[in-house]
Amino acid sequence: MKYIDKLRNSGLRPTKQRLLICEVLFNNEKTFHFTVNELERKIKDKINNKISLATIYNTVHAFEKKGYLKQIPVNSNQTYFDTNITDHHHFYNLKDGKLIDLENSDVGPINIKRKIDGKKIKSIEVLVKLED
Amino acid sequence: MKYIDKLRNSGLRPTKQRLLICEVLFNNEKTFHFTVNELERKIKDKINNKISLATIYNTVHAFEKKGYLKQIPVNSNQTYFDTNITDHHHFYNLKDGKLIDLENSDVGPINIKRKIDGKKIKSIEVLVKLED
DNA sequence: ACAGCTATTTAGAACCATTATAAACTACAA
DNA sequence: TTGTAGTTTATAATGGTTCTAAATAGCTGT
Ligand SMILES: [Mn+2]
Ligand SMILES: [Mn+2]
Ligand SMILES: [Zn+2]
Ligand SMILES: [Zn+2]
C-alpha cells in the first residue's frame, strides 16, 4: 500500500480506517475541499462497512496536525478542509457554500507592511466572496 | 437619543434593547471585534436588567443585514463580528484567538486576476495568522 | 507465534454555539 | 384608544464537534 509508509513515518499506525481515508482524500487527480459530513458520505460510497464518525474526526485532525490537510477560514457552521496544502487562496460562493481554489499566481504578491511585536506570520490567506 | 433615527431609517423599531446594544456597539472611540458571548458580557456590565440572549442574536443579525456589523471569517467555534465596517483585513493571533485590524493601506492592493463566470466579487478579505 | 503494551476505534453521551418556537409585550399608525 | 405587526423572551431544539471509556488492533521484544 502506498500510504503505509507515509503514515508510519508520521508516527501514525496504518490502520485500515486511516488507509481507507487516505485513499479517499489523497488518491485523486485533483485536490478538493470538504466538510467532515461530506467526507463521511464519500467514505460510505467507497465501502460497505462503515467508519465511525469519531474516527473520521480523529483522523482528519491527526492529518491536519501532520500538515496533510489544511483548514480554510470561512464563516460556516461547518469546518472546511482542503487536501491542497500548498499556499493558495479561495473564492467562496455565498450561494451554495462551495470553495474554488485561487492560485497564488492569480493574486498579486501580498505584502504585509505592518509587523506585530513578538509574533511571526504563519500564513496569509485571501478569501474572495462571490455573489450573483 | 442618537440611535433612534438610525434604527427608524433602517426599518428597525428603536426598542430599548436595540438602543442599549447600539450604545455598547457604536458609542465608542474605537471599533472592536467581538463574539456574541463577549457582547453579552459587555451588555451585562452596562445595565442591571438583562437582555435575552435570543434578542442579542436577533439584533446582531439584524445589524449585520443592515450593514452595521460585519462577520469576520476565521476558524473558531464562535462567530466573530466587527464594528469596523470599512474594507480592511485582520491579523489573527492563534495563541489567544484575538483579532487585530490590518488596514488596507498596510496591505498592498490586491488584484484578483481570475474571474468566475456569472459571479461578482462581493469582498476580498485577508487573514494573517500569527504565531510566536 | 505469543505476550504485553500502547495506540486506535467505536457507540454513545456530552457539549455548546446557534436557531426555532410560541406566547407575552410593545411601538406605532389609524 | 385600539388594532396590528414587530419585537422580546424563556425555553426547547438543532447540529457540528468533542469526550468517554470499553473493545479492538498494531507493534515490539521474546
Ligand atoms: Mn482541528
Ligand atoms: Mn449571521
Ligand atoms: Zn483550496
Ligand atoms: Zn476588524
Side-chain angles (χ1 to χ4, degrees), chain B residues 14-64:
Chain B
T15 65
K16 70 175 192 306
Q17 290 88 347
R18 284 177 178 159
L19 288 169
L20 191 281
I21 294 174
C22 277
E23 291 289 333
V24 173
L25 289 178
F26 307 124
N27 202 25
N28 296 283
E29 288 279 326
K30 300 178 184 234
T31 62
F32 62 96
H33 308 111
F34 66 93
T35 64
V36 168
N37 266 329
E38 289 165 355
L39 177 57
E40 192 188 20
R41 263 185 268 129
K42 273 181 188 270
I43 290 170
K44 276 184 185 148
D45 288 353
K46 195 130 193 161
I47 51 168
N48 284 358
N49 55 331
K50 80 172 176 62
I51 296 178
S52 156
L53 185 58
T55 298
I56 299 177
Y57 272 101
N58 288 343
T59 303
V60 163
H61 285 136
F63 287 3
E64 184 197 8

Side-chain angles (χ1 to χ4, degrees), chain A residues 88-101:
Chain A
H88 69 285
H89 309 294
H90 293 95
F91 286 114
Y92 182 49
N93 186 343
L94 294 168
K95 187 74 151 292
D96 64 5
K98 292 282 177 247
L99 291 161
I100 301 170
D101 272 355

Side-chain angles (χ1 to χ4, degrees), chain B:
Chain B
M1 289 293 201
K2 62 201 284 199
Y3 297 110
I4 290 182
D5 290 339
K6 176 175 182 170
L7 289 172
R8 280 226 187 81
N9 295 338
S10 311
L12 298 172
R13 289 186 179 174
T15 65
K16 70 175 192 306
Q17 290 88 347
R18 284 177 178 159
L19 288 169
L20 191 281
I21 294 174
C22 277
E23 291 289 333
V24 173
L25 289 178
F26 307 124
N27 202 25
N28 296 283
E29 288 279 326
K30 300 178 184 234
T31 62
F32 62 96
H33 308 111
F34 66 93
T35 64
V36 168
N37 266 329
E38 289 165 355
L39 177 57
E40 192 188 20
R41 263 185 268 129
K42 273 181 188 270
I43 290 170
K44 276 184 185 148
D45 288 353
K46 195 130 193 161
I47 51 168
N48 284 358
N49 55 331
K50 80 172 176 62
I51 296 178
S52 156
L53 185 58
T55 298
I56 299 177
Y57 272 101
N58 288 343
T59 303
V60 163
H61 285 136
F63 287 3
E64 184 197 8
K65 187 170 290 181
K66 294 298 178 185
Y68 303 143
L69 291 174
K70 282 202 320 183
Q71 243 182 283
I72 301 168
V74 286
N75 289 129
S76 167
N77 56 328
Q78 283 164 270
T79 304
Y80 282 72
F81 293 92
D82 199 338
T83 66
N84 180 353
I85 56 173
T86 67
D87 262 359
H88 68 287
H89 308 293
H90 294 94
F91 286 114
Y92 182 50
N93 187 343
L94 293 169
K95 187 74 151 290
D96 63 6
K98 292 282 178 249
L99 289 161
I100 302 170
D101 272 354
L102 181 56
E103 293 308 323
N104 255 337
S105 55
D106 287 329
V107 181
I110 294 169
N111 177 22
I112 306 297
K113 290 162 191 159
R114 186 162 160 223
K115 304 294 171 206
I116 303 292
D117 259 20
K119 294 285 173 184
K120 279 207 314 266
I121 289 176
K122 186 184 185 190
S123 67
I124 299 175
E125 291 161 271
V126 180
L127 186 70
V128 181
K129 290 184 184 162
L130 297 176
E131 63 188 351
D132 297 301

